[in-house]
Amino acid sequence: DVTRFLEEHPGGDEVLLSSTGKDASDDFEDVGHSTSARTLMEDFYIGDIDVSTLPPKPTYTPAFQAKYNPDKSTDFIIKILRLLVPLAVLCLAFVVRMLTKKSE
């Protein structure tokens, strides 16, 4: 419990608070603390954590995905465009022909 050491910690209180509620032994060792820091740690040491009391880690469950709908695929859109584009061109040609025929 390093609560009373928060303000005095040379690395700032954020470093200590990031290890709140867990075994911080690995975090302490990773930094490479001095001998005096190791001596101070003995004053704050409470005990070892009983691993059997820890809650189980949650398992990953993938998100729900909607089933594949072929009507919304790009292939379906391409098939419709293959029909509509020539039809639109034909209609446009017909309208242009009708307009130019009247002006003659």
Side-chain angles (χ1 to χ4, degrees):
D1 182 9
V2 293
T3 306
R4 56 193 168 128
F5 189 64
L6 285 174
E7 292 182 15
E8 300 173 26
H9 188 263
D13 60 351
E14 296 89 14
V15 177
L16 298 176
L17 292 173
S18 68
S19 298
T20 301
K22 68 175 189 171
D23 181 5
S25 301
D26 291 337
D27 296 340
F28 183 84
E29 294 300 329
D30 288 345
V31 174
H33 283 89
S34 64
T35 307
S36 61
R38 293 182 183 282
T39 305
L40 275 174
M41 183 185 70
E42 293 173 7
D43 296 337
F44 297 107
Y45 183 76
I46 295 176
D48 294 329
I49 294 178
D50 181 10
V51 180
S52 65
T53 62
L54 295 175
K57 290 186 177 182
T59 57
Y60 172 73
T61 306
F64 173 76
Q65 282 188 326
K67 294 194 177 201
Y68 174 71
N69 186 351
D71 291 338
K72 293 185 179 179
S73 71
T74 54
D75 291 336
F76 181 73
I77 293 171
I78 291 172
K79 288 178 184 177
I80 289 178
L81 288 176
R82 284 183 181 168
L83 174 68
L84 292 179
V85 169
L87 189 60
V89 170
L90 185 62
C91 289
L92 182 63
F94 180 74
V95 168
V96 168
R97 178 68 179 147
M98 294 302 287
L99 292 175
T100 56
K101 190 174 187 180
K102 288 181 182 177
S103 56
E104 286 180 1

